[in-house]
Amino acid sequence: MHLNIAVLEGDGIGPEVVAQSLKCLRSVEETFGHSFTFTKGLVGATAIEKEGNPLPEKTLKICKESDAILFGAIGSPKYDDDPNSKVWPEQGLLRLRKELDLFANIRPVKVFPALIKQSPLSKKIVKNTDLVIYRELSGGIYYGEKDHDPDSNSATDICTYNEEEISRIAHLAFKAAKNRKKKVTLVDKANVLQTSRLWRRVVYDIAKSYPEITLEALFVDNAAVQMVLNPSQFDVILTDNMFGDILSDQGSVIAGSIGLLPSGSVGTDYAMFEPIHGSYPNAKGKNTANPVAAILSVAMLLQHFKLHEESDAVVAAVLKSFSKNIVTPDIMGSSKYGTDYVGDFIADNIMELDEHFNMNDENIDLGKSTII
Ligand code: IPM
Ligand code: MG
């Protein structure tokens, strides 16, 4: 298969972790006989510095002409610390999501057996966690009317949803549940918000066409508690843009490190894959950032194109790195391995799955390696 991939490294540790994903894609190319073309584009603080715009038109064009986008990370303290700034990096990512109509953000949260001790929660609690968050990504309070009135020192962010925006992601969530544990949990704040009440009406209605799926609804405050008390009760979590942002970061704690979790953002015409972590400016250039979330984002990209064997091979190589303790210091404080070394190890161990069997590696729980 030939794929044109737009590569948006972004800010902070973005370029370092994306470099490891590209090594893995090159390895997949070689092992499985595919051909991938990478075209880089500027985004975020780096793009503001060079072009004065967090999403230059040229970058948008590169994305629109690609089969998929690989994204690194975005954000810089320079802009976080200046609330008066008229332009900031995250605007680039938000505009990109909107322009490409990436309405569904898919964030799997899974505990890897080899890393179970990493979770700050007890092994007993996190043991069987395998959930996926379907976060609505192109609407809600992120995109509603915004205002800041310096005279009255007040500001407004409006949260709006319509039926179509809810229904298109709800269908994806129900379809995903069909191939999983057959349960959808709608997370909202329907005891307070009108938008949440609309979500409930629309989702309850859609549920009728999926009789094999159990639907439950939880208020977001309770969902946050349930996620740390008993995360294995969840299968597919369906939620709006803001709640999904918050709950997915919380989910990363269950897995042991935010450096482990990938995500896919899909729409009708485009798809983008990115780690859920931020730009982690303090670690920039130190070769300590965990490349696994970025590499697993490649596995999601491959799955998106139905390259299942290739995707499994990437996941198997990641699991091998865990079992051999070839991990960055966020996973094992005493680790002397850097971003580059871990990336090289994983890329070098991407091979046809039979070869893994022949090598008789432990801990490669094949068949369970599908991450979405
Ligand atoms: C995420 C990030 C973004 C979001 C930021 C960088 C705008 O936190 O992808 O979760 O809030 O969606
Ligand atoms: Mg977030």
Side-chain angles (χ1 to χ4, degrees):
M1 181 181 279
H2 176 75
L3 292 176
N4 284 317
I5 300 175
V7 179
L8 274 47
E9 299 167 312
D11 306 322
I13 57 167
E16 296 161 57
V17 295
V18 167
Q20 314 315 313
S21 322
L22 298 185
K23 283 179 194 167
C24 291
L25 278 169
R26 286 283 177 238
S27 175
V28 167
E29 208 177 22
E30 233 172 81
T31 311
F32 294 90
H34 299 300
S35 105
F36 304 135
T37 309
F38 304 135
T39 312
K40 291 196 178 179
L42 294 172
V43 73
T46 326
I48 300 177
E49 247 90 282
K50 295 200 174 133
E51 312 262 332
N53 179 350
L55 181 68
E57 291 313 310
K58 198 171 149 208
T59 302
L60 189 58
K61 187 163 179 279
I62 292 172
C63 294
K64 288 190 169 169
E65 287 169 355
S66 304
D67 299 303
I69 302 143
L70 202 56
F71 195 94
I74 205 159
S76 153
K78 178 174 157 192
Y79 300 92
D80 297 343
D81 298 342
D82 177 10
N84 293 320
S85 175
K86 292 269 177 301
V87 63
W88 59 92
E90 287 80 357
Q91 292 168 327
L93 177 59
L94 297 181
R95 186 167 158 237
L96 187 60
R97 289 172 177 169
K98 196 68 174 177
E99 291 279 347
L100 303 181
D101 198 21
L102 302 171
F103 65 84
N105 184 220
I106 304 163
R107 298 189 159 184
V109 177
K110 197 167 173 166
V111 171
F112 298 100
L115 300 186
I116 202 157
K117 54 190 182 308
Q118 291 313 313
S119 177
L121 301 174
S122 79
K123 184 174 167 184
K124 202 171 91 214
I125 288 181
V126 299
K127 173 159 103 233
N128 295 316
T129 306
D130 180 7
L131 60 91
V132 58
I133 300 176
Y134 272 66
R135 166 191 178 196
E136 200 290 326
L137 198 63
S138 58
I141 197 166
Y142 273 56
Y143 291 98
E145 208 180 299
K146 296 182 182 299
D147 192 29
H148 174 217
D149 179 359
D151 298 333
S152 63
N153 240 338
S154 66
T156 311
D157 294 281
I158 293 186
C159 182
T160 309
Y161 270 111
N162 63 40
E163 183 176 347
E164 169 57 20
E165 287 169 323
I166 299 167
S167 117
R168 59 187 185 169
I169 183 161
H171 279 289
L172 289 187
F174 278 100
K175 283 181 189 146
K178 273 186 172 182
N179 298 320
R180 298 177 46 100
K181 293 177 272 173
K182 303 195 170 33
K183 180 175 169 189
V184 170
T185 305
L186 171 63
V187 173
D188 62 25
K189 189 73 187 170
N191 50 349
V192 176
L193 303 176
Q194 284 297 348
T195 43
S196 288
R197 299 179 82 78
L198 179 66
W199 272 79
R200 281 217 180 181
R201 278 202 298 280
V202 173
V203 174
Y204 282 177
D205 207 35
I206 289 173
K208 291 181 199 146
S209 3
Y210 298 89
E212 69 278 43
I213 309 294
T214 308
L215 172 67
E216 66 168 23
L218 288 183
F219 298 139
V220 63
D221 41 0
N222 183 20
V225 173
Q226 295 302 324
M227 254 177 93
V228 289
L229 279 183
N230 179 14
S232 63
Q233 71 183 285
F234 295 107
D235 180 18
V236 177
I237 293 179
L238 167 63
T239 192
D240 80 3
N241 204 342
M242 181 73 148
F243 299 148
D245 177 47
I246 299 166
L247 288 183
S248 56
D249 265 32
Q250 187 177 334
S252 72
V253 176
I254 300 171
S257 167
I258 196 164
L260 294 172
L261 297 189
S263 82
S265 301
V266 301
T268 316
D269 301 321
Y270 302 101
M272 179 162 97
F273 300 87
E274 58 175 309
I276 81 155
H277 61 66
S279 60
Y280 195 11
N282 292 343
K284 181 182 173 174
K286 294 197 176 142
N287 197 29
T288 54
N290 193 336
V292 167
I295 293 173
L296 289 177
S297 300
V298 159
M300 287 185 83
L301 181 152
L302 294 167
Q303 253 183 50
H304 179 77
F305 291 101
K306 306 213 172 345
L307 299 174
H308 298 297
E309 201 187 326
E310 291 80 344
S311 174
D312 280 353
V314 173
V315 178
V318 168
L319 295 178
K320 184 168 176 184
S321 74
F322 294 160
S323 68
K324 303 249 178 275
N325 285 331
I326 312 281
V327 293
T328 42
D330 55 311
I331 301 294
M332 203 171 67
S334 60
S335 171
K336 53 185 189 314
Y337 300 116
T339 313
D340 247 349
Y341 190 93
V342 174
D344 283 337
F345 179 88
I346 296 172
D348 289 348
N349 280 282
I350 292 174
M351 51 188 79
E352 305 232 8
L353 292 177
D354 312 353
E355 290 184 50
H356 271 295
F357 278 125
N358 293 340
M359 288 166 68
N360 206 11
D361 263 305
E362 311 137 22
N363 271 339
I364 297 179
D365 59 354
L366 297 172
K368 287 193 206 150
S369 63
T370 307
I371 48 173
I372 42 175

